[in-house]
Amino acid sequence: MGEAISQINVQRHVRLANPVTSRRHTVSDWRRVWAILSKQWRWSVLFAAIVIAAVTGATLAMKPVYEPEGQLQIDPPGSEVFSLNTAGGGLDSEYIATEAQKLQTDDLALATIRALHLDTNPDITGKMPVQSASDISAGQLTPRENAAVRSFQSRLSIRRDPSSRLVGVRFATHDARLSAEVVNSLMRILVERNFEARNQAIAQSSMWLSRQLDDIRDKMETATRALADFGTKTGIADVDPNSNTYAEKMGDLNKQLVQAESDRIQFESFLTRADNPDSLPQVRNSPVVQTLMQKLAEAEAQRAQARVMYGPNHLEARKLESQVHELQDQIRAQRAAIVSELSTSYRAARARESLLSGEVKEATTDLATLAQYNVLKKEAQADRDLYDTLYAKIKEAGISAASKSSNIHIVNQARVLDHPTRPNRILNIQAGILVGLIGGVALAFVKNRIQDRIQTTDDIRDWTGLPSIAVVPAIHNGHNGMGMLGLNRTKLTLLNGNGAGCLGPDCFLFQRPRAPESEAVHALLSMLFLSQPEHPPKVILMTSSLPGEGKTTLANNLAIALAKHGRTCLVDTDLRKPAVGASFKLAPGIGLEHYLQGSASFDQVTYPSREVRNLTIIPSTRPTDSAVQLLTDEPVKILVKRLRERFDFAVIDTPPLLPYADALALSTLVDGVVLVGRAGQTPRGAITRSMELLDAINSAPILTVVLNAANQRYDYSSYNYRLIAE
């Protein structure tokens, strides 16, 4: 995570510093993959070849193995045609799993071994000496049998289908017929043992049930006699299985009592309305009262008519008047009779209720007798039910034993296979080829990742985000060299345009202007000019992440190239290990450190090059311990200002970034920074860390990163005349 954030920060810094190059496209992912595989192809091919050869050899050396499969159906107990367990038939996973595990027991394996004489088969037991029977105690297995059991268990495999009741049995040997025989024998022995165990359990159950049945029969007969004697004594007899005479009597009394209470309540409610007889339903519904009421109405009508026609004192009117009074007296008498009848019925109902209540109370005193009778009846019935159940079980056990049915049976016999189960040679070899190829490619990427060194421009681009990387090839001239500093350190005497001169081996641009490394410096110079077309950088800081990456050599040659375009000054600010003066064969007594300390003037520390026109050198004479103080004080700022005033270009060589802070102090005073990394030597993290430090102090923009001593096979020769990776 930290590396990713660092890389993002570095890429942001590069985009801000290089607005032109940030718009250029990066190399495609396929090209990067191809570059990694091209570098690591030997390891990839070696790994793939080893894997393919090993898989092929192991596959061809394998003996064919035959592993046929037989299938058993294991049903839960109770699913047989005749079974004592009437609750069976459901899918009991634990039971099925238990029965399947029995196939892997040593006892069943030993029975199969002895049935097929597998202890004499060398493929099963291996080569073992025969031991005489006298050397083996009773119950002890022979060494061959022990070896056969161990081999048997290792070759046996049980496969259970959780969604069904099927269990697969497999046995692997080099003999197809033997494998099928072992599977079928093992399944047959399991079925036979299950049947034998079931019959033995049935026989034991039948014997136990028979003994229990005799005791229960005696108990049942005793309970039946006790119930009969109690019924005779108390007079209680069963009318049907659910009732008896005493219960029916109690039921009738309760019904009559309820009816008497109902009648009494009804008559009592009628009598409460005796003051208003017309409201009683008996009065309203009486035919006599209804007839009298009709006659009364007719008489009253005739009376009213006579009074109108003859007057109230007429004889006819008086006759009708006396008739009305007579009818009214009859109606009152009839109503009184009905009320008297209701009163009589009420008293009768109340008396009947009282009598019935007394009888019910007397009958309830016999409830204890009835309860005792019911207890005796339940005991007798329970004994009879138990007897009938045990008797039925004994009969079922006999039928089940005679039926020879089992809940485990073979549904698929193992067949003799016509081709081996394994190995599948074609599939194994194809898998080996696939694994070898994939593993080889993966190994290339892993090895490339483990090698934490920049090797190609793609490595720098991936870790810095820069779209353009300058490339300087490794030099191979037949001497004992290393990378860019490949020239021998012996003195070389070369001629310049004026006659003769003397330069160090680090100044190859002056010595071999048409060499690939010289062309690379010219390409770097073009990149620096084009990075800021309107305002090309005048003061350029040359640095690297770590020592030994060729920054001083590159600074020397870049200064020589710039001298062709204008007045150029090469400044050696590496006060810890000065090298510029030695490269140009200078032996100055006064150097940059004297100027920064104030003991020398600017003109005293500038040395024009005798071989390179327009090139002035400000060397350092000896290492100093106060480098950081000298490069961070005001004199160094004045130095840079004078460089801008007196020269068209200035190249400043600094110590490495990571070990020392000198370059960081100077990076804020220049126009641009060139960061040098060495192929195969500079760690990837060192490049990104250097760019982080520069970004943290807001240094001058990073103009480019130079991949020094690049492998011509990967990063240089493929570009032909183009020395800048795009």
Side-chain angles (χ1 to χ4, degrees):
M1 187 66 181
E3 292 183 355
I5 295 174
S6 301
Q7 192 169 352
I8 292 173
N9 292 334
V10 170
Q11 292 174 358
R12 177 177 61 84
H13 177 76
V14 171
R15 288 196 297 269
L16 294 175
N18 300 275
V20 177
T21 58
S22 65
R23 293 190 294 269
R24 305 177 68 179
H25 298 289
T26 59
V27 180
S28 66
D29 292 339
W30 287 110
R31 184 176 176 183
R32 295 177 185 177
V33 171
W34 178 253
I36 294 174
L37 293 179
S38 298
K39 288 189 297 184
Q40 308 292 345
W41 69 271
R42 293 180 179 86
W43 291 97
S44 299
V45 171
L46 179 61
F47 179 84
I50 292 175
V51 171
I52 294 172
V55 172
T56 303
T59 300
L60 296 178
M62 289 181 181
K63 294 179 66 177
V65 176
Y66 298 87
E67 194 174 15
E69 182 179 45
Q71 288 183 320
L72 287 169
Q73 180 176 340
I74 302 178
D75 297 322
S79 58
E80 304 91 345
V81 178
F82 295 99
S83 173
L84 291 176
N85 187 2
T86 58
L91 183 59
D92 187 350
S93 298
E94 294 183 355
Y95 174 79
I96 296 175
T98 302
E99 293 299 320
Q101 288 296 324
K102 289 182 179 179
L103 290 165
Q104 297 178 299
T105 59
D106 291 346
D107 188 36
L108 203 61
L110 184 60
T112 306
I113 291 170
R114 289 175 176 174
L116 299 178
H117 304 288
L118 297 180
D119 55 337
T120 61
N121 191 324
D123 291 339
I124 302 297
T125 60
K127 296 181 179 180
M128 296 186 65
V130 180
Q131 189 174 6
S132 61
S134 59
D135 297 335
I136 302 173
S137 60
Q140 183 181 359
L141 300 182
T142 65
R144 284 182 173 272
E145 287 179 337
N146 282 320
V149 169
R150 290 192 296 269
S151 178
F152 188 95
Q153 296 291 12
S154 64
R155 297 167 183 266
L156 179 66
S157 61
I158 306 299
R159 181 186 60 84
R160 181 185 165 222
D161 184 4
S163 61
S164 68
R165 298 174 180 175
L166 297 181
V167 175
V169 182
R170 293 183 179 182
F171 192 80
T173 67
H174 302 302
D175 186 347
R177 185 174 299 278
L178 178 61
S179 296
E181 289 179 354
V182 170
V183 172
N184 295 331
S185 298
L186 181 64
M187 293 190 300
R188 184 179 64 255
I189 292 173
L190 176 66
V191 173
E192 291 175 353
R193 289 199 171 188
N194 177 265
F195 174 73
E196 292 174 358
R198 180 172 169 272
N199 281 352
Q200 184 177 3
I202 291 174
Q204 293 176 353
S205 299
S206 298
M207 293 177 59
W208 182 83
L209 290 175
S210 297
R211 292 193 297 269
Q212 295 297 321
L213 190 64
D214 295 337
D215 296 338
I216 293 174
R217 184 189 300 112
D218 296 340
K219 188 176 180 181
M220 179 192 66
E221 292 176 353
T222 301
T224 302
R225 286 195 299 270
L227 178 63
D229 295 342
F230 188 82
T232 302
K233 180 179 179 181
T234 58
I236 301 175
D238 290 334
V239 178
D240 55 55
N242 297 322
S243 64
N244 50 59
T245 56
Y246 187 83
E248 289 186 352
K249 177 182 177 182
M250 286 295 298
D252 292 339
L253 288 175
N254 287 326
K255 288 180 181 179
Q256 293 179 19
L257 178 60
V258 171
Q259 184 62 40
E261 290 178 348
S262 176
D263 293 343
R264 191 260 305 167
I265 293 171
Q266 183 178 15
F267 290 134
E268 187 176 359
S269 64
F270 290 154
L271 292 177
T272 57
R273 293 180 288 175
D275 296 340
N276 185 15
D278 291 336
S279 63
L280 295 173
Q282 290 83 354
V283 174
R284 292 195 305 270
N285 299 329
S286 174
V288 177
V289 174
Q290 291 176 356
T291 302
L292 293 175
M293 291 295 293
Q294 184 178 3
K295 289 180 178 181
L296 177 61
E298 292 175 355
E300 287 179 347
Q302 291 175 3
R303 184 186 64 179
Q305 184 178 8
R307 286 183 178 180
V308 173
M309 293 178 60
Y310 305 110
N313 296 321
H314 191 270
L315 180 61
E316 186 64 25
R318 291 181 178 178
K319 179 180 178 182
L320 291 173
E321 181 72 23
S322 54
Q323 186 178 355
V324 168
H325 289 303
E326 184 180 357
L327 289 173
Q328 289 177 347
D329 293 338
Q330 291 179 2
I331 290 172
R332 283 193 293 271
Q334 189 63 33
R335 289 174 178 170
I338 292 174
V339 171
S340 177
E341 184 179 355
L342 288 175
S343 178
T344 302
S345 298
Y346 167 73
R347 288 192 296 272
R350 188 172 63 181
R352 184 166 176 266
E353 178 186 4
S354 178
L355 292 174
L356 289 173
S357 296
E359 291 185 7
V360 168
K361 290 180 180 179
E362 292 179 359
T364 53
T365 57
D366 296 333
L367 286 178
T369 303
L370 180 61
Q372 186 177 359
Y373 177 81
N374 289 332
V375 170
L376 293 174
K377 182 179 179 181
K378 289 179 180 179
E379 290 179 355
Q381 186 63 39
D383 292 339
R384 178 174 294 279
D385 292 342
L386 181 58
Y387 176 83
D388 293 341
T389 300
L390 291 178
Y391 185 77
K393 288 292 184 182
I394 293 174
K395 293 297 184 182
E396 289 177 2
I399 296 173
S400 179
S403 67
K404 297 183 179 180
S405 61
S406 176
N407 63 316
I408 301 178
H409 54 277
I410 300 172
V411 297
N412 184 26
Q413 293 275 354
R415 62 182 181 87
V416 180
L417 300 180
D418 55 354
H419 60 277
T421 305
R422 60 179 183 272
N424 188 335
R425 291 188 170 87
I426 296 177
L427 182 61
N428 287 0
I429 294 175
Q430 290 176 347
I433 294 174
L434 181 62
V435 172
L437 294 177
I438 296 176
V441 173
L443 179 63
F445 284 93
V446 171
K447 193 171 185 298
N448 184 72
R449 184 67 177 176
I450 293 175
Q451 293 176 340
D452 187 24
R453 298 291 186 271
I454 57 172
Q455 298 288 347
T456 64
T457 55
D458 289 337
D459 293 339
I460 300 179
R461 185 177 296 109
D462 292 341
W463 283 80
T464 65
L466 282 170
S468 298
I469 310 298
V471 180
V472 177
I475 302 173
H476 300 281
N477 64 341
H479 297 282
N480 182 19
M482 58 177 189
M484 188 172 179
L485 301 178
L487 295 174
N488 199 339
R489 289 291 183 178
T490 60
K491 179 185 290 188
L492 296 178
T493 303
L494 301 170
L495 297 176
N496 62 7
N498 298 326
C502 181
L503 289 178
D506 297 340
C507 302
F508 57 81
L509 183 66
F510 186 81
Q511 300 163 356
R512 298 189 309 280
R514 297 185 181 278
E517 56 270 20
S518 300
E519 295 294 341
V521 174
H522 287 302
L524 172 61
L525 181 60
S526 300
M527 175 181 289
L528 296 179
F529 283 163
L530 294 174
S531 63
Q532 299 177 3
E534 298 179 356
H535 302 285
K538 293 186 63 176
V539 182
I540 301 172
L541 185 143
M542 190 72 64
T543 187
S544 62
S545 300
L546 298 170
E549 296 178 343
K551 62 174 180 57
T552 300
T553 302
L554 190 58
N556 295 340
N557 290 275
L558 181 61
I560 295 173
L562 285 170
K564 297 180 181 180
H565 299 275
R567 294 171 301 167
T568 303
C569 182
L570 175 60
V571 184
D572 186 3
T573 61
D574 191 349
L575 302 180
R576 303 175 186 276
K577 189 178 181 182
V580 172
S583 299
F584 287 88
K585 302 304 177 181
L586 299 176
I590 300 175
L592 177 64
E593 67 274 15
H594 299 91
Y595 170 77
L596 297 177
Q597 292 170 355
S599 60
S601 64
F602 182 79
D603 293 332
Q604 289 178 324
V605 297
T606 57
Y607 297 87
S609 174
R610 292 173 296 176
E611 290 79 11
V612 182
R613 189 171 55 185
N614 293 331
L615 178 62
T616 300
I617 302 168
I618 300 179
S620 297
T621 59
R622 62 180 182 275
T624 177
D625 295 333
S626 58
V628 176
Q629 291 80 2
L630 294 176
L631 295 176
T632 55
D633 289 341
E634 190 65 23
V636 75
K637 298 180 182 179
I638 299 174
L639 171 67
V640 175
K641 182 179 180 181
R642 290 189 176 182
L643 291 174
R644 294 181 186 276
E645 294 173 350
R646 297 185 57 175
F647 298 97
D648 297 322
F649 304 102
V651 178
I652 300 177
D653 181 33
T654 66
L657 272 170
L658 297 183
Y660 310 110
D662 306 3
L664 295 175
L666 294 171
S667 65
T668 60
L669 306 176
V670 300
D671 298 331
V673 178
V674 175
L675 186 60
V676 180
R678 188 180 187 86
Q681 177 175 322
T682 304
R684 297 171 179 174
I687 292 289
T688 56
R689 179 57 181 164
S690 299
M691 299 183 74
E692 285 179 1
L693 293 175
L694 292 172
D695 181 58
I697 64 172
N698 295 321
S699 70
I702 298 176
L703 303 177
T704 188
V705 175
V706 179
L707 178 61
N708 185 23
N711 191 323
Q712 297 185 22
R713 180 174 184 179
Y714 301 122
D715 285 297
Y716 189 75
S717 63
S718 60
Y719 294 98
N720 293 327
Y721 293 104
R722 293 184 301 162
L723 301 180
I724 304 301
E726 298 180 356

